[in-house]
Amino acid sequence: MTNSQRDQTLDQPADRPMLSVRDLTVAFPTAKATNEVVHHLSFDLPPGGALGIVGESGSGKSMTSLAIMNLLPPGATRSGSIVFRDTELTALREPAMRTVRGSRIAMIFQDPLSCLNPYYTVGDQIAEAYRAHRHGVSRRQAHRVAIESMERVHIRDAARRVNYYPHQFSGGMRQRVMIAMALSMEPELIIADEPTTALDVTVQAQILGLLTEIRENTGAGLILITHDLAVVSETTDQIIVMRHGDLVESGPVEQIFSEPRADYTRMLLDAVPRIDDAIDDMRTLPSSAAHETPTEGARL
Amino acid sequence: MTRQVLKRLAGMVVVLLLVCLFTYVIFFVLSPDPAVQICGKNCTPAKIDQIRDNLGLNRPFWAQFWTFLSGLFVGRTYGEGIQCSAPCLGYSFQSSQSVTSMMVQRFPVSLTVAVGAAVLWLLAGLVSGLIGAINEGKFIDRFISGLTFAGMSIPNYVLALVLQFVLVVTLRWLPFPQAVAFGDDPVQWFLNFLMPWIVLAVGYAASYTRLTRANVIEALQENYVRTARSKGLRPSVVWRRHALRPALTPIVTIFGMDFAGLLGGAVITETVFGLNGIGKMASDAITKNDQPVIMGVTLLAAFLVVVGNMVVDLVYTAIDPRVRIGASA
C-alpha cells in the first residue's frame, strides 16, 4: 500500500459505509418450495448515520435485522453479503459472531416486557451482557456499569432500581432498561426493531428522543425498524421502504416525505395521521390484508 | 405474604381434619371387628363383648372419632393400661407396638430411599431434558425420547428383578445386599441402597426428562432468549440461565408432590428389596390385616401430600419474582 493510497483511506473514512448490505436474501426453504421473506436487499449505512427501515408487518424488515445479527429463527437461510466495518459478517463463525453481537452491534426489541427475563433483576441482565464481553470484570464493576447505563438513559434512582425486576417497571422504563443494556457495551451500531410500538404516544416521543440523544453523544449508527413513518421522520436521515421482502424506495427522509416516487410509499404517507387531518381523511392500506395471505405475500 | 401463609395454613388444618375423618369412616365402616381379631382363637361372645367394652368400641361413632382425634394430640390409653403417647395414630395389637413408634423406626429407611432416588432422578431428568430440548429433533433427542418411553413403561418390580439379576448375579458389579448400618460400613450401605434408588428413579427420571424438555423448548421460544442471544452470551449461559431457569418453576411443583408421596413409603420398591421402610410396613400390614397400621400409613401419606402441597405453594411464590414482589415502580 503506497502512502498516497493510505492517505486516501485515512482522509475519507466517513465515505465508506459502516454497514453495507448487498443482495441480502432471507428464505425459509421447505420440501416443496423456498419461501423468500427478504429478496435481494441492498443498502448502506454511513458511519454514525441513522437509517429507517419502514414497512408493514410481513415486509421482511425484522428478518433483515435478525439476518444482520445472524439470529434468524431455525430453518431460515440467508445469502448475500453483510459487511460491517470491513468484516464480512456472513463469513463469521458463531463464536466470532458472538463477539460482535451485543458488543459492537446491539439490538433493541419491541415489547420490552417479554424481551426481559422475568427471573432476573434488570441490573443482573445488564451486567450479564457486560461481563460476557469484558473478560475479568468483577461482579461489582459490572453492577456499577449497570447503574451508570441506567443513569445514561435517565432512569432516576438507578442505584436502587438496578435491583428491580422487569415487572416492577412501566413499559417506557422497561424500554429504557433495554436501551441501557444495549448502551452498556458502547456499541458502534444499534438496531432498534419497533422500539416504540408497544408504548403510548408520549413515551414513544421520549424514547425516540433518547435514541437521538445517544446517537449524538456516542456517534453510534442507528437502524430503526418500524411500520410507522412518523417514527422515522424525526429520528433518522435515510429511509428505505420495504414491502413483501422487496425494497420499494430509498432516499433521504425529506425526499421520501416531500416527493415519494413509489405509489406504495405515498399510501404509507397517507396512512400517517396528521394533527390537522379530519378523521374521515385517514387512509388505510387497502391491499395489506390480501397480501398477507401466504400465497400472495410469499415469493414462491 | 404473611396473610397468604396464614390462610394456607388454616386451609391445611381443615383439609387434614377432613382427611382424618374420611380415613376413620372408611376403616370404621369397612373393617371387620377389631375385637374379634384381638380375641384370637378360643373366643367366646362374652369375651368379645368385654374387649369391645375395654376398647370403647360400643360407644357412638363420634365419641370414638373424638378419642382418636384427641389421641393424635394428647395420646390415649387402650383398655387396661396400654399407653399410647401423642401423637397416637393407633395401636397395633398384632405387633404390640404403637403405630407411631413403628413409623418412627421405619421412617429413616423411607427417607433414605426417597432422597437418594430424588437426587438421581432430578439430575438425570434435568440434564437429559435439557440436552433433548437444545438438540430438538436430532438423533440424540430422539434417542433420549426413546429411553423415556422405556423408562416410563417398565414396571418397577420387573426392573428391580432384572437389575438384581444382571448387576448382582451375572455381572457381580454390586455385592449381595446385607443389612448394615451407615456407621458400620458406609460403602456396603451405599451399595445396598443403590439399586432401590435406581429402580425408583427410572420412572420419575423419564417423566422429568419429558417435562424438562417440553418446558425448555417452550422457554427457548421466549423473546428474552432472543435478547440473551443478541447480547452475545455463550449458548451454555443462554440455556442455563435463560431457558432452564424459567423451565424449573413447574418442575419444582411436581417434585414437591412426588417427593412428599415417596416419604409415605415406596411400597413396591421397598418390598422387592426387603427394605424395612414405611412402604414395606404398609404391605406387611395389609397382608396381616393389621388395621391400625394400615390406617396410620394412610393418614401419614395423606398428611405428607397435604403438607408437601403447601410447601410447594410457598416455594412457588418464593421462586417467582413476579409473585414474590408485586409491581411497585
Side-chain angles (χ1 to χ4, degrees), chain B residues 207-246:
Chain B
S207 65
Y208 278 58
T209 301
R210 295 164 69 94
L211 193 66
T212 309
R213 179 182 175 276
N215 285 342
V216 169
I217 286 176
E218 201 185 306
L220 283 172
Q221 315 288 323
E222 294 284 352
N223 282 337
Y224 52 74
V225 170
R226 188 185 58 190
T227 308
R229 289 203 176 111
S230 82
K231 291 195 285 194
L233 301 183
R234 283 195 316 273
S236 60
V237 179
V238 174
W239 292 329
R240 192 166 39 82
R241 273 176 64 92
H242 294 278
L244 186 57
R245 173 68 181 78

Side-chain angles (χ1 to χ4, degrees), chain B residues 32-246:
Chain B
D33 195 336
V36 177
Q37 285 190 348
I38 293 163
C39 187
K41 283 173 189 169
N42 313 312
C43 213
T44 60
K47 210 169 168 189
I48 291 177
D49 263 352
Q50 197 199 343
I51 295 171
R52 293 182 66 89
D53 219 35
N54 265 342
L55 294 178
L57 292 175
N58 291 327
R59 292 155 62 219
F61 169 79
W62 287 108
Q64 289 189 51
F65 180 62
W66 174 250
T67 313
F68 170 78
L69 207 56
S70 59
L72 285 175
F73 296 96
V74 295
R76 60 187 279 198
T77 320
Y78 283 92
E80 307 103 27
I82 295 173
Q83 196 66 41
C84 177
S85 55
C88 178
L89 280 166
Y91 190 87
S92 165
F93 289 95
Q94 291 189 18
S95 52
S96 308
Q97 248 186 322
S98 80
V99 174
T100 311
S101 66
M102 287 171 77
M103 279 181 181
V104 170
Q105 282 163 23
R106 288 153 188 256
F107 187 71
V109 174
S110 287
L111 182 69
T112 312
V113 171
V115 169
V119 169
L120 276 185
W121 93 58
L122 274 182
L123 271 179
L126 292 183
V127 169
S128 49
L130 185 61
I131 291 175
I134 58 195
N135 295 297
E136 190 189 350
K138 292 184 193 156
F139 173 76
I140 180 79
D141 178 34
R142 276 181 277 169
F143 180 72
I144 291 173
S145 292
L147 281 185
T148 62
F149 268 116
M152 283 170 84
S153 37
I154 189 162
N156 260 352
Y157 48 90
V158 173
L159 185 65
L161 295 177
V162 170
L163 266 189
Q164 263 178 334
F165 186 75
V166 173
L167 292 183
V168 180
V169 180
T170 312
L171 295 173
R172 291 166 191 261
W173 285 357
L174 288 177
F176 203 78
Q178 292 162 334
V180 288
F182 176 75
D184 297 338
D185 186 353
V187 176
Q188 174 76 39
W189 176 88
F190 182 81
L191 295 177
N192 275 351
F193 274 110
L194 200 54
M195 263 192 298
W197 284 337
I198 294 173
V199 167
L200 199 52
V202 163
Y204 287 106
S207 65
Y208 278 58
T209 301
R210 295 164 69 94
L211 193 66
T212 309
R213 179 182 175 276
N215 285 342
V216 169
I217 286 176
E218 201 185 306
L220 283 172
Q221 315 288 323
E222 294 284 352
N223 282 337
Y224 52 74
V225 170
R226 188 185 58 190
T227 308
R229 289 203 176 111
S230 82
K231 291 195 285 194
L233 301 183
R234 283 195 316 273
S236 60
V237 179
V238 174
W239 292 329
R240 192 166 39 82
R241 273 176 64 92
H242 294 278
L244 186 57
R245 173 68 181 78

Side-chain angles (χ1 to χ4, degrees), chain A:
Chain A
M1 192 183 264
T2 65
N3 267 339
S4 65
Q5 274 176 318
R6 182 173 295 154
D7 285 348
Q8 257 188 345
T9 50
L10 280 179
D11 282 347
Q12 304 174 320
D15 291 339
R16 300 188 41 220
M18 158 189 250
L19 181 76
S20 181
V21 174
R22 286 291 170 274
D23 270 338
L24 178 68
T25 297
V26 178
F28 288 86
T30 57
K32 283 186 189 155
T34 297
N35 188 356
E36 286 187 11
V37 292
V38 178
H39 187 64
H40 296 292
L41 179 71
S42 300
F43 64 86
D44 287 325
L45 177 72
L51 172 75
I53 302 181
V54 186
E56 300 167 63
S57 52
S59 62
K61 54 195 195 315
S62 291
M63 284 299 156
T64 304
S65 65
L66 293 176
I68 294 171
M69 297 293 272
N70 196 14
L71 285 175
L72 287 168
T77 60
R78 62 172 186 179
S79 62
S81 149
I82 301 165
V83 177
F84 172 66
R85 299 267 199 213
D86 298 329
T87 309
E88 174 58 60
L89 294 186
T90 55
L92 287 187
R93 287 170 169 277
E94 181 57 21
M97 189 60 213
R98 267 204 309 276
T99 64
V100 175
R101 245 181 245 143
S103 169
R104 300 182 62 197
I105 307 179
M107 243 186 126
I108 299 163
F109 296 98
Q110 188 184 347
D111 188 17
L113 182 59
S114 71
C115 288
L116 291 166
N117 191 324
Y119 288 96
Y120 301 103
T121 63
V122 295
D124 261 5
Q125 296 185 59
I126 299 173
E128 169 184 66
Y130 188 75
R131 294 186 70 197
H133 294 287
R134 302 275 195 277
H135 297 288
V137 170
S138 71
R139 272 175 198 283
R140 184 178 292 187
Q141 272 172 297
H143 188 75
R144 207 169 50 235
V145 169
I147 297 174
E148 281 165 15
S149 306
M150 285 171 70
E151 278 165 351
R152 278 168 74 191
V153 296
H154 309 300
I155 296 179
R156 264 174 286 140
D157 206 3
R160 191 166 58 88
R161 284 178 163 180
V162 72
N163 296 320
Y164 279 18
Y165 289 90
H167 73 272
Q168 294 173 279
F169 288 92
S170 64
M173 279 294 162
R174 272 180 219 132
Q175 196 54 285
R176 282 174 195 268
V177 169
M178 282 292 283
I179 296 172
M181 194 145 72
L183 270 187
S184 67
M185 302 306 307
E186 318 226 328
E188 298 154 54
L189 172 62
I190 297 173
I191 302 177
D193 186 356
E194 302 270 9
T196 58
T197 306
L199 308 174
D200 63 52
V201 182
T202 44
V203 183
Q204 265 187 28
Q206 290 170 12
I207 295 292
L208 291 175
L210 180 64
L211 284 175
T212 305
E213 179 194 319
I214 284 162
R215 207 160 68 79
E216 281 162 3
N217 292 347
T218 65
L222 174 70
I223 295 179
L224 183 63
I225 292 164
T226 179
H227 66 279
D228 185 355
L229 269 169
V231 165
V232 287
S233 65
E234 308 253 314
T235 321
T236 66
D237 24 64
Q238 296 277 323
I239 292 180
I240 64 177
V241 180
M242 284 182 74
R243 187 186 203 194
H244 306 319
D246 285 316
L247 186 136
V248 174
E249 183 166 7
S250 67
V253 172
E254 302 78 27
Q255 186 196 315
I256 299 268
F257 271 76
S258 57
E259 6 175 330
R261 287 188 307 261
D263 289 341
Y264 179 67
T265 314
R266 220 164 288 133
M267 286 197 292
L268 275 182
L269 282 169
D270 284 342
V272 176
R274 297 217 181 78
I275 207 94
D276 50 351
D277 269 354
I279 289 294
D280 297 345
D281 287 349
M282 214 197 302
R283 303 284 162 78
T284 52
L285 298 180
S287 59
S288 62
H291 276 287
E292 271 180 38
T293 58
T295 42
E296 284 258 19
R299 190 182 290 278
L300 295 171

